[in-house]
Amino acid sequence: MRANWQPTATIETLHERARLIAIVRAFFAQRGVLEVETPILGQGGSTDVHLASLSTLARTDKGQRKLWLQTSPEFHMKRLLAAGSGPIFQLAKSFRNGEVGARHNIEFTMLEWYRPAFTLAQLIDETTTLVANVLPSFAGPVVRYRYRELFHTYLAVDPFTTSLETLRTLAAERGHMSAQTLAKEGRDTCLDLLMSMVIEPQLGQQELSVVLDYPASQAALARRHQDADGEWVASRFELYLNGVELANGYDELIDAEEQRQRFDEDNAERRKLGLPEVDVDERLLAALERGMPESAGVALGIDRLIQLAMGKARLEDVLAFSTPNC
């Protein structure tokens, strides 16, 4: 039995982790992508209602300030893009409160990179190539799916047109939750529950599954466009292997006014749900106003990728110290 002072990963595992991360760094070095380091603390946090940001009070030259631990390095990296950095990547410590489990840890390492002038299709190709480099024994195909088609296939409903009442009933049944629990939940919460409980386990089986055309309400910091059916959808993708979400990529939103509106809408939804508001990152908005180049960017959970590469049962098995043992 491991003593409470000991690492959660074995020393042998940490050697292999270092080797795999070296492969990642070499991948970007060969492509001329600059490695950067940015602060984990920021003036604003993620307003996303599905994420729980952590904050701290710090003594600064301007007095005591509330600072936010990043849920990803996105905001600072976009400021670098606006300053003319060109293509950049980072292996960054990130924090999401309450995320604990076989595939989650409150503190984790995010691999995030941005490609000015890349299309989303180019970024998908680069992301799947990186994963293949880290998992050389994996020889499965890359298969693209539309979000709508997955709901038709596995749940026989249309995520864009099915009534909220029907989605709540289905989410309660398939998510093993009471109807009362979901009675006040919105459309995206029900869709997220169905996606995670029913569809995600089917994805990435002997293949890399790429999911496209999420509802426009799930765009977060991505652009939106009309799909072949005339629906407004998010210009983003998610990548799955063995039922595990590995990456989330965007055709990045660069309109400062629209981004502010989305932040405000998120905080309004937080108030409605009884969640604490999150400070808006005004420095990001100032960078977007100054002008950020059109870019595609992606965040990849490097701990999860290493977990899959090594066949480990839990994320903590590839971390030197998991959150409960830090």
Side-chain angles (χ1 to χ4, degrees):
M1 183 176 180
R2 185 180 69 236
N4 62 6
W5 62 267
Q6 291 180 302
T8 47
T10 66
I11 300 303
E12 292 76 17
T13 294
L14 296 179
H15 276 278
E16 179 63 8
R17 178 187 175 97
R19 188 187 72 83
L20 293 172
I21 287 178
I23 290 173
V24 170
R25 285 195 160 102
F27 179 89
F28 289 111
Q30 290 166 3
R31 287 160 175 76
V33 181
L34 176 69
E35 182 171 9
V36 298
E37 294 179 272
T38 58
I40 62 172
L41 290 171
Q43 305 292 326
S46 173
T47 58
D48 191 324
V49 296
H50 300 293
L51 297 179
S53 296
L54 288 165
S55 62
T56 187
L57 293 176
R59 292 194 301 273
T60 75
D61 60 338
K62 296 181 176 62
Q64 192 173 67
R65 299 286 296 273
K66 187 175 188 178
L67 298 177
W68 297 86
L69 278 75
Q70 64 187 7
T71 57
S72 90
E74 181 169 4
F75 293 176
H76 283 111
M77 293 182 77
K78 286 183 172 178
R79 289 166 62 184
L80 288 177
L81 290 169
S85 66
I88 52 177
F89 85 97
Q90 182 170 189
L91 288 156
K93 287 296 183 184
S94 303
F95 304 83
R96 297 182 182 181
N97 200 17
E99 296 200 4
V100 178
R103 299 174 185 168
H104 297 86
N105 196 62
I106 291 173
E107 178 182 347
F108 59 98
T109 301
M110 183 80 84
L111 168 63
E112 193 150 329
W113 73 98
Y114 292 86
R115 285 294 213 155
F118 259 40
T119 65
L120 202 62
Q122 288 175 306
L123 187 64
I124 290 170
D125 289 342
E126 185 167 68
T127 304
T128 54
T129 300
L130 171 65
V131 171
N133 275 26
V134 177
L135 303 173
S137 61
F138 178 77
V142 177
V143 183
R144 290 166 171 79
Y145 300 94
R146 295 176 66 205
Y147 183 91
R148 190 176 211 166
E149 116 186 50
L150 290 172
F151 274 79
H152 285 163
T153 300
Y154 294 106
L155 290 157
V157 297
D158 189 310
F160 295 94
T161 63
T162 300
S163 71
L164 176 55
E165 181 180 356
T166 299
L167 290 176
R168 282 175 176 159
T169 300
L170 191 58
E173 292 173 354
R174 304 301 295 270
H176 308 293
M177 301 175 69
S178 70
Q180 184 177 4
T181 302
L182 292 171
K184 295 183 179 180
E185 297 294 349
R187 188 176 200 87
D188 282 328
T189 298
C190 295
L191 291 174
D192 284 347
L193 183 61
L194 290 168
M195 184 73 178
S196 63
M197 296 296 292
V198 180
I199 298 174
E200 286 184 2
Q202 314 300 324
L203 300 176
Q205 304 303 331
Q206 308 302 315
E207 67 179 36
L208 282 172
S209 300
V210 178
V211 182
L212 298 155
D213 293 349
Y214 285 76
S217 57
Q218 298 181 25
L221 280 77
R223 296 189 187 204
R224 295 166 176 158
H225 69 274
Q226 281 185 291
D227 68 5
D229 300 316
E231 295 283 356
W232 281 97
V233 295
S235 304
R236 55 175 284 233
F237 74 90
E238 291 192 7
L239 178 66
Y240 290 86
L241 178 61
N242 293 349
V244 178
E245 180 203 336
L246 282 180
N248 190 357
Y250 296 166
D251 182 0
E252 301 294 344
L253 178 64
I254 60 174
D255 184 306
E257 184 176 346
E258 183 177 349
Q259 187 61 76
R260 181 181 292 281
Q261 181 180 342
R262 291 194 196 179
F263 285 154
D264 290 344
E265 289 171 354
D266 283 348
N267 271 326
E269 184 67 14
R270 283 179 163 274
R271 290 191 296 272
K272 179 180 174 182
L273 296 172
L275 298 172
E277 289 188 48
V278 176
D279 293 337
V280 168
D281 193 322
E282 294 291 343
R283 287 167 172 78
L284 169 65
L285 294 173
L288 295 180
E289 287 173 357
R290 167 64 176 78
M292 185 184 117
E294 293 194 2
S295 304
V298 61
L300 186 150
I302 197 69
D303 301 322
R304 286 186 180 180
L305 182 57
I306 292 170
Q307 180 187 0
L308 288 173
M310 299 189 68
K312 298 294 185 180
R314 298 182 62 82
L315 200 72
E316 67 179 13
D317 295 333
V318 299
L319 304 176
F321 300 97
S322 64
T323 299
N325 297 285
C326 59

